[in-house]
Amino acid sequence: MEENFDREYYIAAICDKFACDDIDVDLYFETINKAIDKTLDEYTENGNLLIEDYDMFDQDLYTNVSNGLEELYD
């Protein structure tokens, strides 16, 4: 499913965009990985990762991460 997806690249990009601040580091990375998994699930069909527009994929991923981390900041 993730054969063409570089998780480490996206985690690094997300960490650059969203600060960890006062959040527990383990919870921070758990939330990021859940958001990545959710986004991958949204773009998976019949077990194949189908990304036709990487800009849209990136936007959806950052939205999912933002929503997940927002819950931690509250």
Side-chain angles (χ1 to χ4, degrees):
M1 177 170 107
E2 294 182 50
E3 59 194 8
N4 295 323
F5 183 78
D6 186 353
R7 184 177 289 266
E8 287 77 25
Y9 167 82
Y10 277 95
I11 289 174
I14 290 166
C15 289
D16 285 344
K17 186 169 180 131
F18 299 98
C20 185
D21 291 336
D22 296 329
I23 300 172
D24 176 68
V25 175
D26 291 333
L27 189 55
Y28 174 76
F29 283 107
E30 180 182 323
T31 301
I32 289 172
N33 279 301
K34 283 182 182 179
I36 290 172
D37 291 340
K38 177 181 179 187
T39 307
L40 289 173
D41 286 343
E42 292 170 354
Y43 281 82
T44 299
E45 187 174 309
N46 296 326
N48 295 314
L49 183 60
L50 303 173
I51 302 173
E52 293 178 14
D53 183 349
Y54 274 92
D55 290 333
M56 184 58 86
F57 175 82
D58 290 348
Q59 182 179 349
D60 290 342
L61 175 58
Y62 288 125
T63 298
N64 288 335
V65 170
S66 179
N67 291 342
L69 291 176
E70 189 174 285
E71 293 176 15
L72 298 180
Y73 290 125
D74 289 340

